[in-house]
Amino acid sequence: MIVIRNNEKKPSLNEFQGKKQEIYLALENSPIIYPYSSLHEFIFDLFLRENIILTARKLNESGATFAPFSTSKFNPQIWTKTKYGYLLKTDILPSEAIKDVFTNGKEYAFECSTAIVLIFYKAVLETIATSYFNTLFQRLLVWDWNYDKDLGIITKRGRDFIPGDVVYFYNPDFGHPVWTGENTVYLGEGLFFGHGIGIETEEGMINALNTLRRPNATRPAYLISQHSRLDTQYLSQFTRKSFSTDRKVYV
């Protein structure tokens, strides 16, 4: 259930369109209370979640491939490979570096957790002012779950998945450590995106991971009761404009 704490009137469902309506319904129909400090924060969350979903689909179409760190690659004109990950070069703006992953995807190869962090960065870039993004995320270091503290990833237990959440399919009998599991974005409508597998239903994701088990495996992959989200209360202060004062941006 959606609760807005400062007594601002909650907008109606018909003030939104498309994916934002689906997100709204998932939040409102949840048995979990979703408290927002303001109407602005609530609407920001809808836009951010929608951008996470759109960005996941863009990555799926980008041409970026799946690879472990040993055979990974990032555009060398923008990133420097270190033993900890890929470090942004000092003369490149963070916003331009993140955009490059999605527009120049054939220059990139990485695994699924790196994909999630990149999706989060790109979605935040699409939702807040570019100037704020470049201030918050200077000298990016990207690989696995390395991320700037200002991204504010929050992980909780439970299966109350809202579109735009990141969820994990665990593969206990993996054949190669890179396939221990698959981090995915829940796209809504029963679909998940995982880098290296693509867009699948829950059953499709599990079936794909089951083909990546060691010989004579007995334990199937499964979706764990956990979800990761961004700190919208913190990030909403950096938005381009106040959503709550311009109803046109709802759609």
Side-chain angles (χ1 to χ4, degrees):
M1 183 175 67
I2 300 162
V3 173
I4 299 175
R5 285 175 167 162
N6 67 352
N7 296 320
E8 289 181 278
K9 183 180 178 181
K10 182 165 60 181
S12 64
L13 178 64
N14 62 16
E15 293 183 64
F16 301 93
Q17 292 182 358
K19 188 58 70 173
K20 286 188 285 293
Q21 277 198 341
E22 183 185 353
I23 298 165
Y24 183 115
L25 282 172
L27 291 166
E28 185 67 3
N29 294 335
S30 171
I32 306 297
I33 292 177
Y34 286 90
Y36 295 91
S37 61
S38 66
L39 177 59
H40 170 77
E41 183 193 336
F42 165 61
I43 299 171
F44 178 89
D45 192 25
L46 296 189
F47 273 80
L48 179 60
R49 287 179 175 277
E50 181 181 51
N51 282 331
I52 290 169
I53 294 164
L54 292 173
T55 300
R57 290 186 174 275
K58 286 179 182 177
L59 184 60
N60 187 50
E61 300 166 357
S62 70
T65 55
F66 185 94
F69 191 62
S70 59
T71 57
S72 65
K73 65 175 182 176
F74 274 44
N75 188 342
Q77 297 181 12
I78 294 175
W79 306 88
T80 299
K81 190 173 186 178
T82 73
K83 64 180 180 179
Y84 301 109
Y86 288 88
L87 182 65
L88 179 63
K89 292 189 174 181
T90 56
D91 60 337
I92 305 294
L93 289 172
S95 58
E96 295 305 312
I98 294 300
K99 288 177 184 177
D100 189 69
V101 177
F102 295 84
T103 60
N104 198 18
K106 292 182 179 180
E107 292 294 322
Y108 293 84
F110 43 78
E111 42 63 77
C112 64
S113 54
T114 300
I116 295 301
V117 173
L118 290 168
I119 288 168
F120 276 160
Y121 277 130
K122 181 64 160 58
V124 170
L125 175 59
E126 293 298 322
T127 316
I128 72 172
T130 303
S131 58
Y132 282 132
F133 186 91
N134 288 328
T135 299
L136 290 170
F137 302 118
Q138 298 176 44
R139 294 295 283 159
L140 290 176
L141 175 67
V142 178
W143 189 263
D144 196 24
W145 284 108
N146 287 316
Y147 60 88
D148 191 287
K149 62 180 178 59
D150 285 299
L151 197 56
I153 299 175
I154 300 168
T155 299
K156 296 183 177 181
R157 295 186 181 276
R159 296 185 67 89
D160 186 51
F161 304 146
I162 306 298
D165 280 349
V166 165
V167 299
Y168 187 66
F169 289 83
Y170 179 49
N171 190 20
D173 285 348
F174 58 89
H176 186 286
V178 77
W179 289 114
T180 303
E182 180 79 340
N183 293 282
T184 70
V185 174
Y186 178 48
L187 304 175
E189 299 179 324
L191 294 175
F192 303 82
F193 166 71
H195 182 60
I197 292 179
I199 295 174
E200 293 285 354
T201 62
E202 179 177 345
E203 181 181 9
M205 198 67 65
I206 288 170
N207 288 341
L209 286 170
N210 284 344
T211 69
L212 298 165
R213 293 180 295 172
R214 62 176 177 260
N216 303 313
T218 59
R219 296 176 295 175
Y222 61 93
L223 177 59
I224 70 172
S225 296
Q226 176 180 294
H227 47 75
S228 296
R229 301 164 176 168
L230 296 181
D231 185 351
T232 54
Q233 182 174 15
Y234 173 71
L235 290 169
S236 63
Q237 66 184 303
F238 304 111
T239 189
R240 294 184 177 92
K241 65 195 307 183
S242 174
F243 296 123
S244 60
T245 60
D246 186 356
R247 293 299 175 100
K248 292 180 181 179
V249 301
Y250 286 9
V251 298

mmCIF file of all heavy atoms in Angstrom, residues 92-110:
data_model
loop_
_atom_site.group_PDB
_atom_site.id
_atom_site.type_symbol
_atom_site.label_atom_id
_atom_site.label_comp_id
_atom_site.label_asym_id
_atom_site.label_seq_id
_atom_site.Cartn_x
_atom_site.Cartn_y
_atom_site.Cartn_z
ATOM 1 N N ILE A 92 36.869 12.077 -18.766
ATOM 2 C CA ILE A 92 35.565 11.665 -19.288
ATOM 3 C C ILE A 92 34.480 11.936 -18.241
ATOM 4 O O ILE A 92 34.649 11.596 -17.066
ATOM 5 C CB ILE A 92 35.551 10.176 -19.656
ATOM 6 C CG1 ILE A 92 36.677 9.849 -20.643
ATOM 7 C CG2 ILE A 92 34.196 9.781 -20.224
ATOM 8 C CD1 ILE A 92 36.551 10.482 -22.002
ATOM 9 N N LEU A 93 33.387 12.538 -18.674
ATOM 10 C CA LEU A 93 32.275 12.768 -17.762
ATOM 11 C C LEU A 93 31.579 11.443 -17.449
ATOM 12 O O LEU A 93 31.368 10.611 -18.345
ATOM 13 C CB LEU A 93 31.260 13.726 -18.379
ATOM 14 C CG LEU A 93 31.673 15.186 -18.500
ATOM 15 C CD1 LEU A 93 30.628 15.960 -19.306
ATOM 16 C CD2 LEU A 93 31.827 15.804 -17.109
ATOM 17 N N PRO A 94 31.193 11.216 -16.191
ATOM 18 C CA PRO A 94 30.477 9.989 -15.847
ATOM 19 C C PRO A 94 29.229 9.763 -16.704
ATOM 20 O O PRO A 94 28.952 8.629 -17.106
ATOM 21 C CB PRO A 94 30.110 10.201 -14.377
ATOM 22 C CG PRO A 94 31.160 11.136 -13.865
ATOM 23 C CD PRO A 94 31.477 12.051 -15.003
ATOM 24 N N SER A 95 28.493 10.815 -16.986
ATOM 25 C CA SER A 95 27.278 10.671 -17.798
ATOM 26 C C SER A 95 27.589 10.140 -19.187
ATOM 27 O O SER A 95 26.873 9.281 -19.720
ATOM 28 C CB SER A 95 26.543 12.016 -17.897
ATOM 29 O OG SER A 95 27.380 13.015 -18.447
ATOM 30 N N GLU A 96 28.662 10.635 -19.802
ATOM 31 C CA GLU A 96 29.034 10.187 -21.139
ATOM 32 C C GLU A 96 29.532 8.748 -21.113
ATOM 33 O O GLU A 96 29.285 7.972 -22.042
ATOM 34 C CB GLU A 96 30.101 11.110 -21.726
ATOM 35 C CG GLU A 96 29.619 12.531 -21.961
ATOM 36 C CD GLU A 96 28.372 12.588 -22.827
ATOM 37 O OE1 GLU A 96 28.360 11.925 -23.889
ATOM 38 O OE2 GLU A 96 27.404 13.264 -22.440
ATOM 39 N N ALA A 97 30.239 8.375 -20.059
ATOM 40 C CA ALA A 97 30.738 7.010 -19.934
ATOM 41 C C ALA A 97 29.598 6.005 -19.824
ATOM 42 O O ALA A 97 29.613 4.948 -20.467
ATOM 43 C CB ALA A 97 31.651 6.903 -18.718
ATOM 44 N N ILE A 98 28.599 6.324 -19.009
ATOM 45 C CA ILE A 98 27.466 5.418 -18.842
ATOM 46 C C ILE A 98 26.652 5.332 -20.132
ATOM 47 O O ILE A 98 26.237 4.238 -20.553
ATOM 48 C CB ILE A 98 26.593 5.859 -17.656
ATOM 49 C CG1 ILE A 98 27.367 5.727 -16.336
ATOM 50 C CG2 ILE A 98 25.296 5.052 -17.610
ATOM 51 C CD1 ILE A 98 27.835 4.321 -16.015
ATOM 52 N N LYS A 99 26.434 6.440 -20.791
ATOM 53 C CA LYS A 99 25.703 6.418 -22.060
ATOM 54 C C LYS A 99 26.407 5.537 -23.084
ATOM 55 O O LYS A 99 25.762 4.839 -23.872
ATOM 56 C CB LYS A 99 25.573 7.839 -22.620
ATOM 57 C CG LYS A 99 24.598 8.734 -21.881
ATOM 58 C CD LYS A 99 24.611 10.134 -22.497
ATOM 59 C CE LYS A 99 23.728 11.098 -21.737
ATOM 60 N NZ LYS A 99 23.818 12.485 -22.305
ATOM 61 N N ASP A 100 27.743 5.543 -23.066
ATOM 62 C CA ASP A 100 28.510 4.802 -24.061
ATOM 63 C C ASP A 100 28.246 3.302 -23.982
ATOM 64 O O ASP A 100 28.257 2.611 -25.008
ATOM 65 C CB ASP A 100 30.003 5.075 -23.882
ATOM 66 C CG ASP A 100 30.834 4.503 -25.017
ATOM 67 O OD1 ASP A 100 30.731 5.029 -26.152
ATOM 68 O OD2 ASP A 100 31.562 3.525 -24.789
ATOM 69 N N VAL A 101 28.012 2.789 -22.784
ATOM 70 C CA VAL A 101 27.741 1.357 -22.628
ATOM 71 C C VAL A 101 26.522 0.958 -23.458
ATOM 72 O O VAL A 101 26.483 -0.121 -24.058
ATOM 73 C CB VAL A 101 27.508 1.007 -21.150
ATOM 74 C CG1 VAL A 101 27.164 -0.471 -20.995
ATOM 75 C CG2 VAL A 101 28.718 1.367 -20.300
ATOM 76 N N PHE A 102 25.533 1.844 -23.526
ATOM 77 C CA PHE A 102 24.266 1.512 -24.167
ATOM 78 C C PHE A 102 24.226 1.898 -25.649
ATOM 79 O O PHE A 102 23.409 1.357 -26.395
ATOM 80 C CB PHE A 102 23.126 2.189 -23.395
ATOM 81 C CG PHE A 102 22.985 1.661 -22.003
ATOM 82 C CD1 PHE A 102 23.770 2.154 -20.969
ATOM 83 C CD2 PHE A 102 22.087 0.647 -21.710
ATOM 84 C CE1 PHE A 102 23.667 1.650 -19.678
ATOM 85 C CE2 PHE A 102 21.973 0.138 -20.433
ATOM 86 C CZ PHE A 102 22.768 0.639 -19.412
ATOM 87 N N THR A 103 25.090 2.811 -26.066
ATOM 88 C CA THR A 103 25.117 3.224 -27.472
ATOM 89 C C THR A 103 26.258 2.574 -28.244
ATOM 90 O O THR A 103 26.246 2.565 -29.470
ATOM 91 C CB THR A 103 25.251 4.753 -27.581
ATOM 92 O OG1 THR A 103 26.469 5.177 -26.941
ATOM 93 C CG2 THR A 103 24.064 5.449 -26.928
ATOM 94 N N ASN A 104 27.230 2.035 -27.521
ATOM 95 C CA ASN A 104 28.406 1.444 -28.145
ATOM 96 C C ASN A 104 28.656 0.065 -27.535
ATOM 97 O O ASN A 104 29.783 -0.299 -27.215
ATOM 98 C CB ASN A 104 29.614 2.369 -27.918
ATOM 99 C CG ASN A 104 30.754 2.101 -28.861
ATOM 100 O OD1 ASN A 104 30.581 1.466 -29.894
ATOM 101 N ND2 ASN A 104 31.928 2.579 -28.508
ATOM 102 N N GLY A 105 27.572 -0.692 -27.389
ATOM 103 C CA GLY A 105 27.594 -1.930 -26.620
ATOM 104 C C GLY A 105 28.578 -2.974 -27.099
ATOM 105 O O GLY A 105 29.057 -3.779 -26.291
ATOM 106 N N LYS A 106 28.912 -2.983 -28.388
ATOM 107 C CA LYS A 106 29.833 -3.999 -28.900
ATOM 108 C C LYS A 106 31.244 -3.848 -28.338
ATOM 109 O O LYS A 106 32.070 -4.761 -28.473
ATOM 110 C CB LYS A 106 29.854 -3.955 -30.421
ATOM 111 C CG LYS A 106 28.534 -4.422 -31.040
ATOM 112 C CD LYS A 106 28.582 -4.420 -32.549
ATOM 113 C CE LYS A 106 27.255 -4.912 -33.131
ATOM 114 N NZ LYS A 106 27.270 -4.919 -34.616
ATOM 115 N N GLU A 107 31.511 -2.720 -27.697
ATOM 116 C CA GLU A 107 32.812 -2.499 -27.056
ATOM 117 C C GLU A 107 32.841 -3.017 -25.623
ATOM 118 O O GLU A 107 33.833 -2.809 -24.915
ATOM 119 C CB GLU A 107 33.161 -1.010 -27.063
ATOM 120 C CG GLU A 107 33.441 -0.442 -28.446
ATOM 121 C CD GLU A 107 34.701 -1.037 -29.063
ATOM 122 O OE1 GLU A 107 35.681 -1.263 -28.316
ATOM 123 O OE2 GLU A 107 34.690 -1.293 -30.278
ATOM 124 N N TYR A 108 31.761 -3.699 -25.182
ATOM 125 C CA TYR A 108 31.636 -4.093 -23.782
ATOM 126 C C TYR A 108 31.298 -5.576 -23.647
ATOM 127 O O TYR A 108 30.522 -6.126 -24.422
ATOM 128 C CB TYR A 108 30.550 -3.266 -23.089
ATOM 129 C CG TYR A 108 30.905 -1.802 -22.962
ATOM 130 C CD1 TYR A 108 30.677 -0.920 -24.019
ATOM 131 C CD2 TYR A 108 31.501 -1.311 -21.810
ATOM 132 C CE1 TYR A 108 31.024 0.426 -23.922
ATOM 133 C CE2 TYR A 108 31.855 0.027 -21.697
ATOM 134 C CZ TYR A 108 31.613 0.882 -22.750
ATOM 135 O OH TYR A 108 31.963 2.211 -22.647
ATOM 136 N N ALA A 109 31.896 -6.186 -22.635
ATOM 137 C CA ALA A 109 31.569 -7.564 -22.255
ATOM 138 C C ALA A 109 31.748 -7.676 -20.744
ATOM 139 O O ALA A 109 32.812 -7.346 -20.213
ATOM 140 C CB ALA A 109 32.468 -8.559 -22.985
ATOM 141 N N PHE A 110 30.726 -8.123 -20.036
ATOM 142 C CA PHE A 110 30.745 -8.182 -18.571
ATOM 143 C C PHE A 110 29.717 -9.184 -18.100
ATOM 144 O O PHE A 110 28.946 -9.722 -18.896
ATOM 145 C CB PHE A 110 30.478 -6.803 -17.959
ATOM 146 C CG PHE A 110 29.361 -6.044 -18.641
ATOM 147 C CD1 PHE A 110 28.030 -6.348 -18.394
ATOM 148 C CD2 PHE A 110 29.641 -5.020 -19.544
ATOM 149 C CE1 PHE A 110 27.000 -5.649 -19.018
ATOM 150 C CE2 PHE A 110 28.630 -4.325 -20.181
ATOM 151 C CZ PHE A 110 27.305 -4.631 -19.923
#
